[in-house]
Each structure stands twice: as C-alpha cells, then as structure tokens.
Amino acid sequence: RKAMIRRHEEEEDKEATDHGVKVASHYNRLQEVGLAARSQSRIFFMRNFNNWLKSVLIGEIVDQVRGAGHQQVSVLDLGCGKGGDLLKWRKGGIDHLVCADIAAVSVEQCQNRYEDMKRKGHFKIFSAQFIAADCTKEFLSEKFDDPELTFDICSCQFVYHYSFESEQKADVMLRNACERLKPGGYFIGTTPDAFELVKRLEASDSLSFGNEVFKVSFQSKGSYPLFGCQYHFSLEDVVDVPEFLVYFPLLEHMAKRYNMRLVMKKRFSEFAEEKVKNEHHRSLMMKMTALESFPCEDGARQATDDRTEYCHAKEHCSRAGVKLPLGTLSRSEWEATSIYLVFVFQKMS
Ligand code: SAM
C-alpha cells in the first residue's frame, strides 16, 4: 500500500510542471500529527517560538485595529495552511475570517479544525469562509461569499516567498492581500530575509548551507535575479519545496501600487528582543517555549540532550549578543529561525 501511494505521489510529481502544483502537493501530503509526535521533532521549540512570534504580531495588530475604532474585525488569512493560526484569531476576538490556500487538503483540514472549535467551544467564534485557490493566479475577490467584503487585516505567514517566481505572480498575490483592505488596514507577514540568505550562501564554500535541522540550496551564486531566484529549503529532512528570494525593497516598491506603506520590518531576533521586554509577551514566550513543557519521559530525546541543546542555545545567543529567554531553542533551530523577518504594511487612506 505504501509503495502504491509512493508511486501515485511520484506520478503526481511528474505532472507537476508548475511550481504551484509542486507546492500544493507537498503541503497536501504533510500529515497532521498530535502533540506527542510533534514534541519529538527536532524543531519542536522552533515551531513554538514561531507561533509565539505570530501570536504577538496578530494580537498587537488586532489591538491596533480596535484602537482605531473598528469594532467588527474581519481578516484574510492568505496561505492559511491547516489553520495553525485559527486559535490566535479566536483569541483576538475577531468577527470574520476568510482562509485561502493553494493546498485543497490543507484548506479542508483548516475548515474541519474550525468546525471542531465551533462545536467544542463555549465561546462565540467568528464566522468564516474557506477557499482553495492559487493566490498567485486567481483573484480571491471573485470568490468571496459577500462580493462587497473588505478586511481590516490580511495575514500572510511564511507564504509570500512562494509568489516571487515571477513579477506577475508576486503582483497577483499582493493584489489579493491588499485590494480589499479598508483604509488604515494592515498587511502583515513573515518571510525569509533575502539579504540573510545571500549572506550565508556567500559565506559558504558550496551552493548550500544549513545544519541538521534545515538546509538551503541554490543552483548558483554571485548574481541574484529580482524574480525567479529559486532555492530549495528543507526542514528536518522533509522533502524540500522550491522557494524564491523576496528582495524586500522591491516588495515595498510594488506595494505602493496598492497604496500600501511599510510601517515595520524587523528580523525575528530584533522583533523578539523588543517584544520580550513586555511582561505579558515574555510570560507567553516562557509558557510556549519553556523547558518544563517538554515531555522528557516519553520524548525521543533524552533530558540530558535537551539540556545540552539548551546550553548551546544560550551560549550561541550570548555570543551573538542576543539577550533572549529562548527557552529550549537549540543553536540549530535558532540558525534556522533567524533567517526570517516580520513585516507590517498599512493602507493609506
Ligand atoms: N500560514 C500557515 C502557517 O503559518 O502555519 C502555513 C504556512 S506554510 C509554511 C506555507 C503555506 O503557503 C502552505 O499552506 C502552502 O500551501 C501555501 N501556499 C504556497 N503557495 C501558495 C499559493 N500560490 N497560493 C496560496 N497558498 C500558497
């Protein structure tokens, strides 16, 4: 049965002449795993750290929208995946959410998760719509249940880099992100920092760099086209997917077409260092990445190994001048997550 599934997947790959098809089938194949299995992953703490960072970002932006007097908050989650941010939106108390992703299986899982939350919860939950679409090719506004729908926030977490294959694709995704934003609305996201990727590539004596948890491979170095500058990113031995460098000044320039102004861009390390100064964010980080939260007894890693990793992380961060309560983020995980940046654009009225 496994061999049959594998053959079917290989056939799917052969048909995948388009990057979008490759990306969709990659994400569609990723299995949902429970907390126990997740906690055995070498990137367990990195995932928690990334989730903490998204929680802080989402929480602050929802507050900003409310602070500006908008009581009903509507959000577009562009590249929602399996719905990893649904709880964050519920916590933010938003009123309406549209989830869109190219991977139809992920969108279905996202919708199931939402229906579960609705069934189990004793709380009021936002209304929602789920759309399976290639957001670099299709116009989402043509698919909304309410044709007049507008948003306060568009959130695009770890997704936008897939669109930089061509100017047209990057522009369609940007249009999907921004065209239905209300004046004063926000386009927020996380994406790899092209400068950091190129810096590490240039410092490497081969066409790739990474460690035991992640690997980035380019086809050449020395010159980097503005669009279609492809690299392969693999995380924890998961089959890699093609991604593209996002030259941020270009994105900033393109966003002006949609009346968007960059209000914040920070590397993950910078953003985290700033946010942990806040007591509330700090205690959330401790809860989400705390050493105690690791179930050593049934985890694959031994407690001693984790402590070694923990020491490495602390050592590495203090050497790099980073003053973070990074919990158990290992040096390898930190090297992977420090590639990313977080951005906030705002629509001018
Ligand atoms: N945003 C989610 C999160 O933070 O957990 C998922 C992030 S996952 C790393 C990247 C997601 O981008 C995948 O779910 C993938 O299917 C989606 N994606 C990639 N290319 C896309 C496209 N052209 N249109 C819509 N979604 C896309």
Side-chain angles (χ1 to χ4, degrees):
R1 193 185 145 84
K2 269 192 185 152
M4 265 174 65
I5 294 172
R6 184 81 213 127
R7 216 169 313 135
H8 175 70
E9 288 177 351
E10 280 167 8
E11 274 162 21
E12 255 184 26
D13 277 346
K14 272 189 218 136
E15 283 167 21
T17 48
D18 185 284
H19 281 119
V21 182
K22 272 190 210 160
V23 172
S25 65
H26 165 78
Y27 281 104
N28 277 332
R29 274 179 218 160
L30 288 185
Q31 299 294 316
E32 267 285 45
V33 291
L35 180 66
R38 268 206 310 278
S39 67
Q40 292 177 28
S41 152
R42 291 194 67 83
I43 52 166
F44 179 64
F45 298 107
M46 177 180 141
R47 284 194 201 284
N48 292 349
F49 175 79
N50 290 349
N51 263 317
W52 168 80
L53 192 139
K54 287 194 290 177
S55 297
V56 172
L57 177 66
I58 285 172
E60 288 196 345
I61 290 296
V62 173
D63 285 352
Q64 297 260 359
V65 169
R66 288 239 167 70
H70 298 246
Q71 288 320 312
Q72 297 281 308
V73 181
S74 53
V75 176
L76 171 63
D77 191 337
L78 195 59
C80 59
K82 299 177 196 329
D85 292 341
L86 284 174
L87 276 170
K88 301 177 188 71
W89 297 120
R90 199 208 78 202
K91 223 174 137 197
I94 66 156
D95 300 277
H96 187 64
L97 180 69
V98 175
C99 290
D101 199 287
I102 192 173
V105 176
S106 299
V107 176
E108 206 182 306
Q109 286 171 350
C110 179
Q111 181 159 9
N112 291 340
R113 217 166 183 174
Y114 166 77
E115 301 295 345
D116 267 6
M117 278 166 66
K118 217 158 107 173
R119 249 194 317 273
K120 286 184 199 150
H122 302 290
F123 38 78
K124 176 185 161 286
I125 191 163
F126 47 81
S127 54
Q129 185 190 351
F130 300 86
I131 302 172
D134 182 341
C135 303
T136 65
K137 288 184 177 164
E138 298 163 75
F139 297 120
L140 288 177
S141 54
E142 292 167 5
K143 297 170 191 282
F144 297 148
D145 288 341
D146 169 5
E148 304 297 316
L149 188 61
T150 56
F151 299 101
D152 299 283
I153 302 166
C154 168
S155 170
C156 189
Q157 305 298 339
F158 302 105
V159 179
Y160 194 70
H161 40 287
Y162 293 109
S163 77
F164 250 64
E165 184 181 354
S166 68
E167 182 170 5
Q168 197 185 358
K169 287 187 172 191
D171 182 56
V172 172
M173 195 171 259
L174 196 56
R175 175 171 159 183
N176 279 322
C178 305
E179 74 171 341
R180 286 302 184 93
L181 284 177
K182 296 172 189 168
Y186 294 97
F187 170 38
I188 61 174
T190 40
T191 195
D193 180 358
F195 286 109
E196 185 62 26
L197 289 174
V198 169
K199 194 173 92 186
R200 294 194 199 187
L201 174 66
E202 292 288 340
S204 151
D205 50 16
S206 69
L207 288 177
S208 63
F209 60 88
N211 56 41
E212 71 272 24
V213 304
F214 85 109
K215 187 173 174 200
V216 175
S217 320
F218 281 76
Q219 280 143 357
S220 64
K221 61 180 174 180
S223 94
Y224 306 94
L226 293 179
F227 295 101
C229 191
Q230 189 183 320
Y231 58 91
H232 277 72
F233 185 83
S234 62
L235 198 56
E236 237 206 343
D237 299 330
V238 175
V239 188
D240 49 359
V241 238
E243 299 186 0
F244 301 92
L245 283 187
V246 178
Y247 180 53
F248 209 88
L250 180 56
L251 169 59
E252 205 183 328
H253 177 73
M254 289 167 68
K256 289 186 184 146
R257 275 182 220 163
Y258 299 98
N259 218 10
M260 304 297 296
R261 177 179 64 102
L262 182 68
V263 289
M264 193 270 280
K265 175 178 79 91
K266 287 197 163 103
R267 297 278 307 282
F268 269 26
S269 52
E270 240 185 302
F271 183 81
E273 267 190 68
E274 183 192 310
K275 299 304 172 192
V276 289
K277 289 181 191 144
N278 171 306
E279 189 49 46
H280 172 71
H281 296 332
R282 189 185 181 85
S283 76
L284 182 65
M285 179 193 254
M286 296 314 278
K287 259 190 244 155
M288 289 175 82
T289 62
L291 189 64
E292 306 83 66
S293 73
F294 188 75
C296 295
E297 319 81 62
D298 46 38
R301 291 194 277 170
Q302 297 296 308
T304 47
D305 288 347
D306 295 324
R307 285 182 195 281
T308 313
E309 294 267 59
Y310 180 51
C311 295
H312 279 153
K314 282 215 304 203
E315 205 182 283
H316 176 73
C317 294
S318 58
R319 250 188 293 129
V322 181
K323 291 176 222 69
L324 281 183
L326 276 177
T328 46
L329 224 68
S330 70
R331 178 171 38 191
S332 301
E333 287 174 304
W334 183 244
E335 274 172 17
T337 202
S338 55
I339 283 174
Y340 290 88
L341 58 78
V342 49
F343 62 82
V344 177
F345 285 92
Q346 187 173 28
K347 192 159 201 165
M348 292 179 280
S349 30

